[in-house]
């Protein structure tokens, strides 16, 4: 692949400091923060260039002797990765201590430079599964909460020492809230005191990047540079710097092909290229430049491998392979996720994920993706080159994969609410859907326990409902039988006691009374029957709704919407009913107060308070009423 002077999807490194443009203000602010504190939090949206700012930008303010930058990613375990980086800093010393603080002390004594621990893509401590879990069918080697707690305690210990050390956390801003747990005295109480948000670039910043990059890379243009800048801003390149790099890289490559053909260039001097109107039009818009590049490279690699290791693959086989392959490289939140790999004796790459039988084809596929700069290969794991690619991969998932991810995310969200409020179990319908796809999902043990708690809670509710319905039906039958018995006794009394009536008018009055009682009992019977039928109808509707949810996973969102709407309407109805009943109590109490019947007024308010203990209007009425001096019965 033709060598390009652009970084493409790779972050800038200290050696690129002379080519890093457009962030002079942020670099100065970061330097001032580091002069004021040993703990800095750097955050911003994905793609704003946080990593490049630290590595490429901060290098402009610090000389070689001013710092020893050490970049740490979570990988399998954050503390394990930290110790591994420490070991790599002292070559040949395999006896280096396991204690991170002791390691740090030896490193400083070895280099005699302030140590900058840069925890890059720090959100991985919250989003990524343990890589070891991919070897053991979802059984995590450690609990994520314990890992995080142990890590922050180690950082606190490091900051409490006198070893010249700076800690920089580089994190996507949507995960900042999850850091609040570790802001207390036992961890890092000053975690948020010195922080820097990386904003999208301004127009002036983008102009600086384009003009200085063109000058540094010997790029000429036969079209106004403002036209290129407008295209960048229209496509959102100021918010997503990966688009800026990929777009300029494509412009350079196409211009190089026009000016110099397919031949590679060598040496330190970059050959001059000219961006023409034709090249500008051919590259197209910025907004989908990365997606077009990704799609193009996948097609090229597919054509290459179908003439080699994958020649037996049908189109359906290939599509299934790609969907399975890429889905393992993104998290439930749509960010990139590392995948562990090993290399066998035949120099073939083996991915520790999925079920790939064609090892040779997988190895070739990974190598081609790395050459295309789509996959980045580290010492023990592979990952997508940028979160922007993770977003594109997520858009290409199948309907079932999207559904499974939505189910996973919903379960995790409900679990988080449960942790905070100790309430909010999963519904029976949701658990049924989970059962259908659980073989394709992985959760930590606390979440699996939560699912089981939800199942037990639903079983308990079903039993209680069945018991309540049975008890209600028995009460209604008893009331109906009792009413019939009373009616029978009344009729018998009238028939056999007619001789005691003084005249015919008395008998007619008794018969009229009998008829009235019969009508009332019939109405009560009908009302009880209607209530019973209504309960049966509600149960049937709930069963139908549940069956619909289970019969089609695609109707999940609609079902949830209908249930929530029904719950909201029921809550509003209850609120109105309670409000009306409270008003009745208040009017009755006011009437008794006007009649100076304070004892009855008191009884009314006490009964109201017992029935609606949380109603502020009733409580305030009792509090303001001077006649209710003692309220022990409330």
């Amino acid at each position: 692949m033709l060598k390009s002077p652009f970084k493409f999807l790779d972050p800038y490194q200290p050696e690129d400091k002379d080519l890093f443009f457009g962030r002079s203000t942020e670099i100065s602010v970061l330097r001032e923060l580091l002069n004021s504190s040993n703990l800095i939090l750097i955050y911003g949206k994905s793609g704003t260039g946080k990593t490049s700012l630290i590595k490429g930008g901060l290098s402009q303010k610090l000389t070689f002797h001013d710092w020893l930058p050490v970049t740490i990613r979570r990988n399998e375990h954050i503390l394990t990765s930290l110790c591994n980086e420490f070991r790599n800093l002292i070559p040949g010393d395999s006896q280096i201590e396991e204690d991170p603080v002791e390691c740090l002390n030896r490193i400083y004594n070895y280099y005699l430079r302030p140590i900058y621990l840069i925890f890059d893509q720090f959100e991985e401590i919250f989003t990524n599964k343990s890589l070891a879990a991919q070897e053991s069918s979802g059984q995590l080697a450690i609990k994520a909460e314990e890992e995080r707690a142990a890590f922050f305690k180690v950082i606190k210990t490091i900051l409490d020492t006198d070893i010249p050390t700076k800690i920089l956390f580089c994190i996507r801003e949507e995960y900042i809230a999850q850091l609040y747990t570790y802001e207390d005295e036992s961890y890092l109480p000053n975690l948020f005191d010195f922080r820097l948000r990386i904003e999208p670039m301004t127009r002036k910043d983008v102009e600086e990047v384009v003009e200085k990059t063109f000058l540094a890379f010997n790029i000429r243009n036969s079209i106004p540079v403002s036209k290129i800048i407008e295209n960048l801003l229209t496509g959102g390149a100021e918010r997503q710097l990966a688009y800026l790099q990929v777009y300029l890289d494509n412009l350079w490559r196409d211009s190089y092909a026009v000016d110099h053909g397919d031949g590679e260039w060598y040496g330190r001097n970059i050959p001059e290229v000219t961006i023409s109107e034709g090249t500008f039009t051919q590259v197209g818009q910025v907004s989908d430049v990365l997606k077009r590049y990704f799609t193009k490279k996948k097609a090229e690699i597919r054509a290459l491998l179908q003439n080699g290791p994958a020649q037996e693959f049908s189109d359906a086989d290939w599509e299934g392979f790609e969907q399975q392959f890429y889905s393992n490289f993104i998290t439930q939140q749509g960010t990139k996720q590392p995948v562990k790999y090993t290399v066998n004796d035949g120099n073939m790459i083996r991915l520790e994920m999925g079920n790939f039988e064609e090892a040779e084809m997988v190895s070739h596929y990974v190598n081609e993706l790395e050459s295309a700069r789509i996959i980045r290969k580290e010492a023990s794991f592979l990952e997508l080159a940028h979160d922007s690619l993770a977003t594109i991969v997520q858009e290409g998932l199948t309907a079932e994969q999207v559904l499974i991810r939505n189910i996973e995310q919903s379960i995790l969200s409900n679990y988080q609410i449960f942790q905070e409020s100790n309430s909010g179990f999963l519904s029976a319908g949701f658990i049924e859907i989970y059962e259908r796809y659980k073989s394709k999902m992985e959760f930590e043990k606390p979440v699996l326990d939560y699912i089981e708690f939800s199942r037990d809670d639903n079983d308990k509710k079903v039993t209680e409902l069945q018991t309540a319905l049975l008890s209600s039906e028995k009460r209604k039958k008893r009331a109906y039988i009792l009413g019939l018995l009373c009616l029978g006794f009344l009729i018998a009394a009238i028939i056999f006691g007619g001789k005691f009536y003084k005249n015919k008018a008395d008998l007619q009055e008794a018969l009229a009374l009998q008829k009235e009682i019969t009508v009332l009992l019939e109405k009560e019977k009908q009302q009880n029957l209607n209530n019973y039928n209504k309960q049966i109808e509600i149960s049937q509707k709930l069963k139908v709704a549940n069956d619909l949810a289970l019969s089609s996973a695609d109707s999940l969102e609609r079902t949830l919407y209908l249930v929530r709407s029904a719950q909201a309407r029921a809550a509003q109805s209850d609120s109105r009913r309670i409000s009306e009943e409270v008003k009745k109590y208040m009017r009755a109490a006011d009437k008794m107060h006007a009649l100076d019947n304070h004892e009855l007024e008191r009884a009314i308010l006490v009964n109201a308070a017992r029935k609606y203990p949380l109603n502020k209007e009733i409580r305030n009425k009792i509090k303001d009423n001077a006649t209710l001096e003692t309220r022990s019965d409330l």
Side-chain angles (χ1 to χ4, degrees), residues 602 606 609-610 619 622 627-634:
R602 169 189 173 82
V606 168
R610 285 174 176 167
R619 306 299 297 183
I622 293 175
T627 65
L628 305 181
E629 295 180 356
T630 175
R631 292 185 286 274
S632 61
D633 50 352
L634 295 180

Side-chain angles (χ1 to χ4, degrees), residues 47 92 105 109 180 211 225 264 307 326 341 455 469 481-482 497 520 523 565 601 625:
N105 190 46
N109 291 332
Y180 291 145
E211 292 171 357
V225 71
E264 184 65 83
N307 290 324
Y326 287 109
Y341 76 94
R455 196 192 312 277
L469 287 173
I481 293 172
L482 181 61
L520 289 174
K523 285 184 178 179
S565 298
E601 177 190 6
N625 196 316

Side-chain angles (χ1 to χ4, degrees), residues 70-241:
V70 183
T71 303
I72 303 100
R73 292 274 301 279
R74 177 181 179 267
N75 298 340
E76 295 188 41
H77 188 284
I78 187 69
L79 286 178
T80 302
S81 298
L82 180 62
C83 290
N84 288 340
E85 289 296 332
F86 285 167
R87 291 189 185 93
N88 293 336
L89 289 171
I90 304 182
D93 191 350
S94 60
Q95 303 300 317
I96 192 166
E97 293 84 352
E98 290 291 334
D99 182 4
V101 177
E102 289 299 322
C103 291
L104 197 66
N105 190 46
R106 291 191 62 182
I107 291 168
Y108 176 72
N109 291 332
Y110 185 88
Y111 289 94
L112 296 178
R113 285 187 276 161
I115 303 168
Y116 282 60
L117 298 181
I118 304 167
F119 292 93
D120 192 22
Q121 300 185 43
F122 193 56
E123 65 274 2
E124 290 176 346
I125 200 172
F126 300 109
T127 62
N128 286 357
K129 299 178 292 186
S130 170
L131 294 178
Q134 299 175 21
E135 303 174 354
S136 54
S137 302
Q139 297 300 316
L140 296 179
I142 60 170
K143 293 181 179 179
E145 294 89 344
E146 294 177 355
E147 174 188 350
R148 291 191 285 267
F151 167 75
F152 282 106
K153 286 183 178 179
V154 167
I155 296 300
K156 177 178 173 59
T157 304
I158 290 174
L159 291 172
D160 289 341
T161 68
D162 57 359
I163 304 172
T165 308
K166 302 285 185 182
I167 307 291
L168 293 90
F169 292 137
C170 186
I171 187 171
R172 287 173 57 165
E173 63 181 23
E174 56 264 40
Y175 296 97
I176 280 187
Q178 301 193 47
L179 291 174
Y180 291 145
T181 304
Y182 307 100
E183 195 187 8
D184 60 31
E185 291 296 330
S186 58
Y187 297 110
L188 301 174
N190 302 320
L191 179 57
F192 292 93
D193 289 358
F194 295 89
R195 61 187 184 274
L196 172 62
R197 183 178 191 270
I198 309 304
E199 303 283 351
M201 281 189 170
T202 64
R203 181 187 184 90
K204 183 178 179 181
D205 295 332
V206 175
E207 289 174 351
E208 179 185 342
V209 171
V210 173
E211 292 171 357
K212 291 187 175 181
T213 299
F214 279 17
L215 183 62
F217 293 164
N218 206 12
I219 299 173
R220 304 291 181 263
N221 49 285
S222 62
I223 60 173
V225 71
S226 60
K227 198 169 183 178
I228 297 173
I229 293 170
E230 286 298 333
N231 200 15
L232 286 167
L233 294 174
T234 302
E238 79 283 4
R239 300 185 305 274
Q240 192 59 256
L241 300 189

